């Protein structure tokens, strides 16, 4: 039951990010919607899967950690490149 709740919450956050992507006006807002919702949504989905498939728990933990580190990092790098591109104009 807990795994279903976690996976559903992760899917809901991912869906929220996709709707935000379609509704946002500029690239920075789109990036903000996707960066936050996809990172947390993915980790919730991974956690829900880990509850049922404990034999691959180590792999799921590693993927979750990589997602938690690289998701915000990539969003930050893209946002900085957008700001620097706008400053050059």
């Amino acid at each position: 039951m807990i795994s279903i709740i976690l996976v559903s919450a992760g899917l809901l956050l991912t869906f929220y990010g996709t709707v935000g992507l379609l509704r946002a006006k500029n690239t920075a807002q789109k990036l903000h919607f996707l960066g936050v919702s996809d990172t947390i949504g993915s980790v919730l989905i991974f956690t829900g899967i880990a509850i049922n498939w404990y034999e691959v728990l180590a792999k799921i933990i590693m993927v979750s950690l990589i997602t938690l580190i690289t998701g915000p990092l990539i969003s930050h790098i893209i946002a900085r490149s957008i700001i620097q591109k706008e400053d050059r104009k």
Side-chain angles (χ1 to χ4, degrees):
M1 184 68 175
I2 294 173
S3 66
I4 293 173
I5 292 170
L6 289 172
V7 171
S8 298
L11 290 172
L12 186 67
L13 275 173
T14 304
F15 178 73
Y16 172 74
T18 304
V19 170
L21 172 72
L22 297 174
R23 295 189 58 129
K25 303 219 184 306
N26 62 18
T27 308
Q29 288 177 346
K30 291 178 183 184
L31 186 63
H32 180 70
F33 275 109
L34 288 178
V36 173
S37 65
D38 284 350
T39 301
I40 302 299
S42 297
V43 171
L44 285 174
I45 292 170
F46 295 149
T47 306
I49 291 171
I51 290 173
N52 286 334
W53 291 339
Y54 55 87
E55 57 271 351
V56 293
L57 184 63
K59 292 178 185 176
I60 292 175
I61 289 172
M62 288 301 295
V63 170
S64 295
L65 288 174
I66 291 170
T67 302
L68 280 172
I69 293 168
T70 59
L73 181 67
I74 291 172
S75 296
H76 178 75
I77 291 170
I78 293 171
R80 281 193 82 144
S81 68
I82 290 169
I83 291 170
Q84 287 176 354
K85 185 178 179 182
E86 290 175 355
D87 287 345
R88 282 188 245 153
K89 288 182 179 180

